[in-house]
Each structure stands twice: as C-alpha cells, then as structure tokens.
Amino acid sequence: MERIPILRMGRLLLVTIQVDMHDRLAMALQDDLTERIVKDRARGVLIDISALDVVDSFIGRMISNTASMARVLDARTVVVGMQPAVAITLVELGLTLDGVRTALNVERGVKLLESESD
Amino acid sequence: MERIPILRMGRLLLVTIQVDMHDRLAMALQDDLTERIVKDRARGVLIDISALDVVDSFIGRMISNTASMARVLDARTVVVGMQPAVAITLVELGLTLDGVRTALNVERGVKLLESESD
C-alpha cells in the first residue's frame, strides 16, 4: 500500500489523500497522476483532503506542484473537502495553494470542473 | 487521520480503503458509514479496494458486515477496484464476500447502483 489510488469518474480523476505524505509517496502520486491524466484523457483532477487535519507547507507545495503538472497536461485541479481548521491554518500561516481552486465537497468540485469543460 | 473519509456523490457514498485496517479503524468506518447513509439518504455505497494488495479474512468479514449494515439501511454495496491478485487469493482461500457485489471500477459500480435504484 505504497501508492495512493486514483479513481476515474468519467473524464475526471479523483484522489483521496488519507495518509501522511512523505517525499517518496508524493513523487509516486505525481508520477501516477500525470500518467493517468494522459492515459485516461482526463479533463480534471479532484484532490480530496477531508482526511487531513493539518496541511503544512510540504503538502501545500505538493498540491500546488501537482496542479501545475496537471495544467500543462490540460487538466484542471480542484481541491475538495478542506476542513475548517485547515482553512484557518492556511490563512494564518500565509500558505497559498497556488493555481489551485477549491470546492466544498466532491459534488461541487465535479460541477465546477464540468461547467468549465463544456 | 484516524478515520477513513466518506465522499458523497449524489445519492451514493464512496469509501477508498488505503490503509491497513485494524479493529478500531474498521469499527469507526462502520459507525461513520451507517451514520452517513442515514444522514445523506444514500442509496448505495462504493468501497474501493484498489490500494489493497491483500484481502485477508478480517478485511473480508469487515466488508461483508459493512454491506449487511448498509442493506438494513436500504443501501446497496458494491466493492470496486479489486486487484487481480486479490481475486485469485480470495478464491484460493475460499473467502467469500457474502452479500457484496463487485464491479471493475468506480464508473461501473456507479452504473450498477444507478441501474437498480431507478
């Protein structure tokens, strides 16, 4: 269980982050995700972080980088399920998720992505 | 991160199992899932096990029990994303996922559940 599964839903990919991210896992996720975007011709990526109690600068950067990689492959990224405490911490610490949009939950994220790809 | 997130997609709930299950985590998942089925009035539950390299009798029983609990709450359960090696092991060990249906991936699982709730 060293890889984070990537689920396909139509033209979107869904990643649920549940475990503590470390360098190797983050790299594996980026490898897998970019490969899957190309293979599945995905238009969007949803990253669910509802299981994360803490988003530090490492995870924030990882998410930003992943979104940048997706963007050059013509896929948009939406982060969903952020816990209120995480939102507070992000702002208080001045961390920004560059180039990443957010939505309350998976459903709204899907709507956001689908409204754009029309 | 002691709980497995449950994602809502319309009238369906999606659970991605990524971490080693132990007693306490399995119990927490069953608690959360039954609560969410009632709260979200879910008609179906998708359990993604694509991250699992091994499904032993404990996990098998946990999935069966979860499906039974969902059923009495009028929600159907479909297990998706089973790895080929897991399917082989299940059969070789004579483990059955009682009362649980399977689908190749999330998309097919969603179709299966939607075709029934019509």
Side-chain angles (χ1 to χ4, degrees):
Chain A
M1 292 187 225
E2 284 165 29
R3 294 183 112 81
I4 294 177
I6 298 166
L7 308 183
R8 182 178 170 179
M9 301 191 303
R11 301 292 296 272
L12 306 178
L13 298 176
L14 171 65
V15 180
T16 314
I17 297 179
Q18 295 178 18
V19 291
D20 280 316
M21 289 301 254
H22 48 78
D23 274 18
R24 210 163 43 81
L25 190 62
M27 299 264 289
L29 176 62
Q30 290 172 343
D31 278 358
D32 292 348
L33 194 58
T34 45
E35 240 172 65
R36 285 290 296 275
I37 289 171
V38 174
K39 198 173 133 227
D40 294 347
R41 300 180 186 183
R43 300 308 307 264
V45 176
L46 294 153
I47 301 179
D48 176 82
I49 60 168
S50 59
L52 300 186
D53 296 321
V54 179
V55 170
D56 57 14
S57 59
F58 172 72
I59 294 185
R61 202 167 50 245
M62 190 276 294
I63 291 174
S64 284
N65 287 349
T66 307
S68 302
M69 292 171 196
R71 203 174 315 114
V72 291
L73 294 171
D74 196 25
R76 303 286 170 265
T77 301
V78 176
V79 168
V80 300
M82 189 184 292
Q83 289 188 23
V86 170
I88 293 169
T89 313
L90 279 181
V91 171
E92 282 184 349
L93 293 182
L95 294 176
T96 50
L97 298 176
D98 288 325
V100 177
R101 278 163 318 158
T102 51
L104 187 66
N105 52 34
V106 174
E107 277 187 293
R108 293 218 208 164
V110 169
K111 271 187 198 147
L112 179 61
L113 286 169
E114 281 177 349
S115 69
E116 287 181 342
S117 58
D118 288 342
Chain B
M1 293 188 227
E2 283 164 27
R3 292 183 113 81
I4 295 178
I6 298 167
L7 308 182
R8 183 178 169 177
M9 300 191 303
R11 301 294 295 273
L12 306 180
L13 299 176
L14 171 65
V15 180
T16 314
I17 297 179
Q18 294 178 18
V19 292
D20 280 315
M21 289 301 251
H22 48 77
D23 273 17
R24 210 163 44 80
L25 190 63
M27 298 264 289
L29 176 61
Q30 289 173 344
D31 278 356
D32 292 348
L33 195 58
T34 44
E35 239 172 66
R36 286 289 298 275
I37 288 172
V38 173
K39 198 173 134 228
D40 294 347
R41 300 183 188 182
R43 300 307 310 263
V45 177
L46 294 154
I47 302 179
D48 176 84
I49 59 168
S50 59
L52 301 186
D53 295 322
V54 179
V55 171
D56 57 14
S57 60
F58 173 72
I59 295 185
R61 202 166 49 243
M62 189 276 294
I63 291 174
S64 284
N65 286 349
T66 307
S68 301
M69 292 171 196
R71 204 174 313 118
V72 292
L73 294 170
D74 198 25
R76 303 287 170 263
T77 302
V78 175
V79 168
V80 299
M82 188 184 293
Q83 289 187 24
V86 170
I88 292 169
T89 313
L90 278 182
V91 172
E92 283 184 347
L93 293 181
L95 295 177
T96 51
L97 298 177
D98 287 326
V100 176
R101 276 161 321 156
T102 51
L104 188 66
N105 53 33
V106 174
E107 278 188 291
R108 292 218 207 164
V110 169
K111 271 188 200 147
L112 179 61
L113 287 168
E114 282 177 347
S115 68
E116 287 181 343
S117 59
D118 287 342

